[in-house]
Amino acid sequence: MNILVCISKTPDTTSKISFKSENKEYNPDGISFIMNPYDEWYALVRAIELVEQNGGNVTTITVGDASNDMIIRKGLAIGANDAIRIDINPKEPFEAAFQIAEASKQKPYDLILLGKETIDYNGSILGSILAELLHLPFISFATKLELSGKTFTVTREIEGGEEICQVEGPCVISAAKGMAEQRIPNMKGIMTSKSKPLNVMAPVAYQNKVEVLTFTLPGEKKGVKMLSPDQMDELVALLHEEAKVI
Amino acid sequence: MSVLVFIETTNGTIKKSGLEAMYFGNLIAAQKNTSCHAVLFGNADKANILGKYGAKSVFYIDYSKGFDTGIYTEGVLSAAATVGADIIIIAHTFNGKSFAGSVAARWNAGIVTSVNALPNFDNGITVTKSVFSGKAVATYRINTTKAVLTLAGNSIQIQESGSEVTPQKLDWTPSEPKVKVLERKTSEGLVPLPEAELVVSAGRGMKGPENWGIVEELAKALQATTACSRPVADTGWRPHHEHVGQTGVAIKPNLYIAIGISGAIQHLAGVNNSKTIVVINKDPEAPFFKAADYGVVGDLFEVVPKLTEAVKKFKSSQ
Ligand SMILES: Cc1cc2nc3c(=O)[nH]c(=O)nc-3n(C[C@H](O)[C@H](O)[C@H](O)COP(=O)(O)OP(=O)(O)OC[C@H]3O[C@@H](n4cnc5c(N)ncnc54)[C@H](O)[C@@H]3O)c2cc1C
């Protein structure tokens, strides 16, 4: 089976955020970037496991400039067979989904996997846009993914619980925590990743639907009001009268 | 030109996130001097109240086979065509964010998810959302005439502003879903975490699962939902769906009480949009105090029962 896994880079959560070009653009200088954890730990690893069990090929796909090559090589080191990079920095999830859809029309896949969201913008819509553009069924927030024949059985997260559903491939599935265990690339993986194919493709023309006008940093918190363990009646009164939350 | 709101229901009951979306749609319709309509799947017995939150008409789709992105996309767009909508509002719930993208793609519309305030229509459609784990706010402009917005939970205060309407059946027949829902398991009775207004959360400072009684007591007294930090869920002390933070659920309650949680950045990423944060920790240097509105330095095994007593006293005096 051929599996396509969408991977992207995100700033590490602990990194300090700043902006440039009059607060119109995110400033990547001095930021350490990682592969989006949902893409790496769950989607990519589960794809590799499915191919280990059933045979086939795992291709990763990334929309972005050459600064993504570092995380793409990491994906190959973890065990993807080859990689595609579409050479444009997308301005919105729709654009990324559009480019991936165009690229994957050239070679059909049995399954497209991706993380449930990226940890920077938390949009969580790329998967459903992609599925719609490719006319494929979509299942989101999958914490478990099993395959028998052409049928995928998926456990997905919902508010306060879970749902078990079934779908015939090909389909698009977004991965949440639980789908697989993180894999650390070993020395052999790192060595072979250097010779695995990374195909850089030119983007297809796209008219942006949405653009970022500005970024603003939220105002500082007022500062914390400290109370002693003996002032719990006072705390409740503050929550009622000052904060007005109870 | 009108606004259509997708309303999510569980067994016919309308979720709070749905009422928020309805009222949000109503305010947008007022801004644009147009009308606001609602569409839902399945049982519409309790849907009359949508009128009170601004729905001029309510459509239901006779369908109860469970959530499928394709069916929901088609159904909502069929309703959009019926009412001539150019804006679709969907609450940012698990299912909402699972099909909003498909709606936008099929409609060829711009989409922004997890919007946290009313749009501005002076120059295109501009909306704001919280990004980078709550460390910044981004303002977006949508350049298409049609737009899909998902609304972050607890972003607006709902108010009754109209009178009940009788739901009518949408003239559209769903096909067979491609995704078959076999089973659905939810913890009954409790307000699900993403919708909770009051949350009591505890971490590794609890020492072990056997000590959670005091957390549950406090939650019960407040009628709050319980949550936990990641290591607590990872070690199986608490169920996985209680895990909040960067890799768990992101929440935005009115009140978040953090008990024995250090306040690691990955934890804060999921909770720092809460309106009011109370931190109880024995370590005065715990990073969580920097993100708190109210802090108590002390042993949680002493502080939490005292707080529970104080809450009970307050409730009985109300
Ligand atoms: C990529 C990544 C993603 C992550 N995602 C998440 C996430 O989504 N959510 C999350 O929560 N974490 C996440 N983490 C883990 C995070 O970094 C912290 O390790 C975790 O949040 C710590 O949990 P804790 O506060 O319960 O435990 P600890 O850090 O061990 O804190 C326990 C606290 O309890 C206090 N305490 C102990 N005893 C008492 C007592 N008797 N009375 C009062 N206070 C007491 C201590 O002073 C301490 O502050 C992530 C980490 C990584 C690397």
Side-chain angles (χ1 to χ4, degrees):
Chain A
M1 67 182 315
N2 291 320
I3 307 180
L4 184 68
V5 183
C6 309
I7 62 173
S8 70
K9 72 173 198 252
T10 60
D12 186 354
T13 347
T14 51
S15 48
K16 212 161 162 54
I17 298 298
S18 68
F19 302 102
K20 59 177 192 180
S21 325
E22 299 177 329
N23 288 333
K24 272 182 177 353
E25 261 178 77
Y26 175 69
N27 181 4
D29 297 344
I31 299 290
S32 65
F33 284 94
I34 55 169
M35 196 188 314
N36 182 43
Y38 297 108
D39 303 344
E40 178 189 331
W41 303 348
Y42 312 123
L44 178 58
V45 174
R46 190 65 191 132
I48 293 167
E49 289 171 354
L50 286 172
V51 163
E52 284 168 353
Q53 290 156 14
N54 303 285
N57 193 80
V58 176
T59 302
T60 66
I61 189 163
T62 305
V63 187
D65 64 19
S67 68
N68 288 275
D69 289 355
M70 194 183 64
I71 64 126
I72 296 173
R73 288 289 169 203
K74 184 177 184 193
L76 294 169
I78 293 172
N81 301 92
D82 48 47
I84 300 170
R85 180 168 63 78
I86 303 167
D87 198 18
I88 187 169
N89 285 331
K91 293 201 175 65
E92 54 170 324
F94 207 129
E95 181 177 5
F98 173 80
Q99 299 294 352
I100 295 170
E102 290 298 315
S104 57
K105 276 178 194 162
Q106 301 178 8
K107 179 185 163 201
Y109 293 89
D110 303 298
L111 171 65
I112 300 179
L113 272 170
L114 74 169
K116 67 168 186 175
E117 62 187 18
T118 56
I119 60 171
D120 47 6
Y121 292 97
N122 307 90
S124 64
I125 45 169
L126 198 149
S128 66
I129 298 175
L130 180 60
E132 175 59 35
L133 294 176
L134 292 171
H135 308 292
L136 294 177
F138 174 61
I139 299 182
S140 55
F141 305 105
T143 55
K144 221 170 168 184
L145 169 62
E146 300 297 336
L147 171 66
S148 94
K150 280 190 91 177
T151 307
F152 293 98
T153 304
V154 179
T155 304
R156 71 182 281 262
E157 271 181 272
I158 52 173
E159 275 82 8
E162 58 184 33
E163 200 167 77
I164 299 171
C165 36
Q166 259 179 2
V167 66
E168 299 284 306
C171 59
V172 180
I173 296 177
S174 84
K177 183 185 164 196
M179 190 188 267
E181 292 282 339
Q182 184 181 4
R183 280 193 191 183
I184 311 290
N186 58 24
M187 211 50 206
K188 181 163 167 267
I190 295 169
M191 295 312 292
T192 52
S193 73
K194 301 199 170 101
S195 55
K196 288 179 177 172
L198 193 177
N199 305 309
V200 179
M201 290 173 56
V204 176
Y206 173 82
Q207 173 87 47
N208 271 106
K209 295 178 166 48
V210 171
E211 61 183 309
V212 171
L213 293 183
T214 54
F215 288 103
T216 42
L217 297 168
E220 287 288 309
K221 273 247 171 195
K222 285 193 309 295
V224 51
K225 214 174 245 183
M226 297 303 291
L227 295 111
S228 82
D230 297 320
Q231 294 178 296
M232 290 304 103
D233 289 326
E234 287 84 342
L235 176 57
V236 169
L238 285 167
L239 291 176
H240 179 60
E241 287 155 21
E242 187 178 79
K244 300 190 167 54
V245 290
I246 60 171
Chain B
M1 280 229 318
S2 72
V3 179
L4 177 70
V5 181
F6 163 74
I7 301 292
E8 194 172 350
T9 60
T10 354
N11 305 325
T13 303
I14 294 169
K15 298 176 166 209
K16 174 174 156 254
S17 55
L19 295 183
E20 287 175 351
M22 189 73 247
Y23 188 62
F24 185 72
N26 172 49
L27 295 180
I28 292 177
Q31 280 179 312
K32 294 185 48 123
N33 222 341
T34 175
S35 59
C36 182
H37 309 268
V39 61
L40 60 95
F41 285 76
N43 179 334
D45 292 353
K46 296 177 187 154
N48 291 27
I49 58 154
L50 290 170
K52 289 193 177 173
Y53 297 95
K56 192 168 162 216
S57 60
V58 175
F59 292 91
Y60 68 93
I61 293 167
D62 197 3
Y63 177 83
S64 56
K65 286 189 183 153
F67 179 74
D68 173 64
T69 301
I71 300 286
Y72 274 54
T73 299
E74 277 176 39
V76 165
L77 286 179
S78 164
T82 303
V83 302
D86 55 4
I87 294 184
I88 296 178
I89 309 294
I90 298 172
H92 196 67
T93 60
F94 281 93
N95 284 348
K97 55 190 164 183
S98 300
F99 84 107
S102 293
V103 172
R106 194 171 298 190
W107 220 26
N108 205 17
I111 173 165
V112 178
T113 53
S114 203
V115 166
N116 62 7
L118 278 175
N120 180 307
F121 293 98
D122 292 345
N123 180 9
I125 307 171
T126 54
V127 290
T128 55
K129 79 175 266 190
S130 163
V131 293
F132 298 111
S133 317
K135 284 184 274 188
V137 172
T139 304
Y140 291 88
R141 183 165 63 212
I142 300 174
N143 294 322
T144 47
T145 47
K146 287 184 277 192
V148 178
L149 305 177
T150 73
L151 175 66
N154 269 333
S155 294
I156 57 160
Q157 203 66 43
I158 54 172
Q159 269 169 38
E160 292 193 10
S161 64
S163 50
E164 299 199 349
V165 294
T166 308
Q168 43 189 311
K169 192 167 168 229
L170 186 71
D171 185 17
W172 176 76
T173 314
S175 50
E176 271 303 302
K178 288 192 181 142
V179 173
K180 288 191 188 64
V181 179
L182 307 179
E183 202 184 329
R184 206 183 148 89
K185 292 183 269 191
T186 49
S187 34
E188 289 301 322
L190 286 170
V191 181
L193 198 45
E195 288 179 24
E197 288 184 357
L198 308 176
V199 174
V200 175
S201 184
R204 239 176 3 199
M206 294 297 296
K207 309 278 190 287
E210 66 280 5
N211 297 328
W212 243 264
I214 55 170
V215 173
E216 279 164 355
E217 284 287 307
L218 176 58
K220 207 173 130 203
L222 282 165
Q223 289 184 308
T225 302
T226 49
C228 69
S229 67
R230 169 165 153 180
V232 163
D234 280 353
T235 49
W237 290 4
R238 298 297 293 175
H240 165 63
H241 63 77
E242 283 197 0
H243 160 198
V244 290
Q246 177 200 307
T247 44
V249 189
I251 54 172
K252 202 179 165 186
N254 290 337
L255 175 62
Y256 184 76
I257 304 184
I259 300 166
I261 302 176
S262 57
I265 186 121
Q266 298 90 353
H267 184 86
L268 295 181
V271 304
N272 61 4
N273 279 324
S274 307
K275 259 183 209 129
T276 300
I277 296 178
V278 175
V279 170
I280 300 171
N281 199 303
K282 70 171 181 194
D283 174 10
E285 302 297 321
F288 218 143
F289 285 118
K290 292 205 177 68
D293 299 283
Y294 303 101
V296 183
V297 177
D299 182 357
L300 66 90
F301 295 101
E302 177 201 339
V303 177
V304 174
K306 280 187 179 163
L307 178 55
T308 306
E309 280 318 303
V311 169
K312 283 184 180 160
K313 210 160 84 188
F314 164 77
K315 292 269 176 184
S316 60
S317 72
Q318 284 292 292

